[in-house]
């Protein structure tokens, strides 16, 4: 018996990609799912130098039972680590240390310098989008510790465009460490000393959250008192 076949006629001026029509369905499925394969598991690249920096470490559990990966932004040397190597490192770290089950990220943004410690929102989006779908599904929440005014504005204005919906809605801002303990028990995540110090600064000078540095010499109070004295002088003169 002759093998069955079909003929598909496509107009050449419609700009239609004919490959899906000319490829067997099993081959199409294989091509569509190639990015879900753990392409970095076989990579034996040495990341011991990045491990020493301790900017991405596995910690305890949050109150929902999610494993915690702590990210300390100040520890990340953005100038010397390429985006490709950072992506491989994150993938291997998650795959080896938390191969299954839900997890969360605790990102400490305290005293981060844009040029020195931040890889950029576009690179972060690229890394997230390139992760296998099962890892993205297992990520439950991102606790963003000490977000500055600039970070809030960038994510609020460009986040929906540059970040996928799945990641954008998982970000949870935590302005003070005391609010983090509502989600995570103390002792489940290690907080560096400089993060605690920065938290104390924000507690006493809350306007720093909004990029407003208060007057440490209280000159505004001196000015207000001088104005009040001028009022009294004017009254006596009148």
């Amino acid at each position: 018996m002759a093998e069955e076949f079909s003929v598909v006629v496509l107009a050449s001026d419609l700009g239609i990609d004919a490959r899906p029509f000319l490829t067997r369905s099993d081959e199409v499925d294989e091509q569509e799912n190639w990015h879900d394969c753990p392409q970095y598991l076989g990579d034996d690249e040495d990341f011991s130098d990045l491990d020493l920096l301790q900017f991405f470490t596995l910690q305890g559990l949050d109150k929902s039972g999610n494993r915690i990966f702590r990210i300390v932004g100040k520890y990340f040397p953005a100038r010397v680590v390429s985006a490709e190597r950072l992506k491989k490192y994150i993938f291997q770290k998650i795959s080896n240390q938390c191969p299954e089950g839900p997890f969360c990220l605790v990102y400490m943004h305290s005293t981060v310098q844009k040029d020195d410690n931040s890889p950029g929102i576009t690179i972060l989006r690229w890394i997230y989008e390139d992760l296998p779908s099962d890892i993205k599904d297992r990520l439950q929440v991102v606790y963003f510790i000490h977000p500055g005014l600039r970070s809030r504005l960038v994510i609020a204005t460009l986040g929906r465009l540059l970040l996928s919906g799945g990641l954008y809605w998982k970000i949870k801002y935590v302005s003070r460490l005391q609010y983090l303990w509502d989600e995570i028990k103390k002792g489940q995540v290690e907080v560096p000393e400089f993060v605690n110090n920065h938290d104390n600064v924000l507690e006493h000078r809350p306007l720093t959250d909004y990029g407003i540095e208060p007057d440490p010499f209280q000159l505004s109070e001196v000015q207000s008192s001088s104005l009040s004295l001028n009022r009294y002088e004017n009254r006596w003169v009148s």
Side-chain angles (χ1 to χ4, degrees), residues 23-24 26 28 51 59 61 68-69 81-82 101-102 106 111 121-123 135 138 143 156 163 187 214 229 235:
T23 308
R24 294 173 53 185
D26 54 346
V28 173
D51 286 333
Q59 304 276 297
L61 302 170
I68 300 173
F69 277 100
V81 179
S82 67
V106 176
T111 69
I121 190 172
T122 54
I123 292 179
I135 291 182
R138 291 194 291 119
Y143 299 104
L163 300 177
L229 290 175
R235 288 182 182 180

Side-chain angles (χ1 to χ4, degrees), residues 5-231:
F5 67 93
S6 59
V7 177
V8 179
V9 179
L10 297 175
S12 60
D13 58 345
L14 295 181
I16 299 177
D17 187 0
R19 286 176 295 179
F21 299 96
L22 303 178
T23 308
R24 294 173 53 185
S25 60
D26 54 346
E27 295 179 356
V28 173
D29 294 338
E30 182 179 355
Q31 293 175 3
E32 290 179 348
N33 296 327
W34 70 269
H35 57 275
D36 286 336
C37 299
Q39 64 266 36
Y40 301 133
L41 282 179
D43 196 338
D44 57 353
E45 184 174 351
D46 182 21
F47 293 109
S48 58
D49 56 331
L50 299 184
D51 286 333
L52 291 174
L53 298 175
Q54 296 289 298
F55 70 87
F56 189 73
T57 58
L58 182 66
Q59 304 276 297
L61 302 170
D62 68 2
K63 292 184 178 180
S64 299
N66 304 315
R67 297 300 304 273
I68 300 173
F69 277 100
R70 186 198 66 176
I71 304 175
V72 182
K74 186 178 180 179
Y75 292 167
F76 176 67
R79 292 178 179 270
V80 298
V81 179
S82 67
E84 181 68 25
R85 190 161 189 253
L86 176 61
K87 180 179 68 172
K88 291 181 179 181
Y89 177 68
I90 291 177
F91 180 84
Q92 283 199 0
K93 197 81 170 180
I94 297 176
S95 299
N96 295 335
Q97 297 187 358
C98 187
E100 58 184 12
F103 69 94
C104 65
L105 299 178
V106 176
Y107 170 59
M108 299 181 179
H109 190 65
S110 318
T111 69
V112 164
Q113 301 296 321
K114 176 180 179 294
D115 295 333
D116 297 331
N117 310 123
S118 177
I121 190 172
T122 54
I123 292 179
L124 295 177
R125 175 187 182 275
W126 171 66
I127 292 176
Y128 177 80
E129 294 296 339
D130 211 39
L131 290 175
S133 59
D134 67 305
I135 291 182
K136 288 187 285 190
D137 292 339
R138 291 194 291 119
L139 174 60
Q140 302 300 306
V141 60
V142 179
Y143 299 104
F144 198 124
I145 313 299
H146 295 152
L149 177 63
R150 182 179 181 277
S151 300
R152 288 178 179 269
L153 290 176
V154 169
I155 295 179
T157 55
L158 302 177
R160 296 189 183 186
L161 298 176
L162 299 179
L163 300 177
S164 65
L167 179 60
Y168 178 81
W169 296 110
K170 292 178 180 180
I171 298 176
K172 185 172 185 178
Y173 296 114
V174 183
S175 59
R176 298 291 184 275
L177 290 176
Q178 62 178 340
Y179 304 130
L180 179 64
W181 309 137
D182 295 336
E183 309 290 342
I184 301 173
K185 290 183 179 180
K186 288 186 176 181
Q188 291 295 317
V189 59
E190 182 182 356
V191 180
E193 183 178 359
F194 78 90
V195 176
N196 281 309
N197 294 337
H198 185 70
D199 193 74
N200 292 331
V201 171
L202 296 179
E203 189 66 25
H204 292 90
R205 295 187 290 179
L207 292 179
T208 308
D209 280 335
Y210 305 98
I212 303 174
E213 183 67 24
D215 187 0
F217 301 105
Q218 300 179 348
L219 296 178
S220 58
E221 295 183 5
V222 174
Q223 182 181 5
S224 62
S225 62
S226 63
L227 290 176
S228 62
L229 290 175
N230 289 334
R231 294 194 191 98

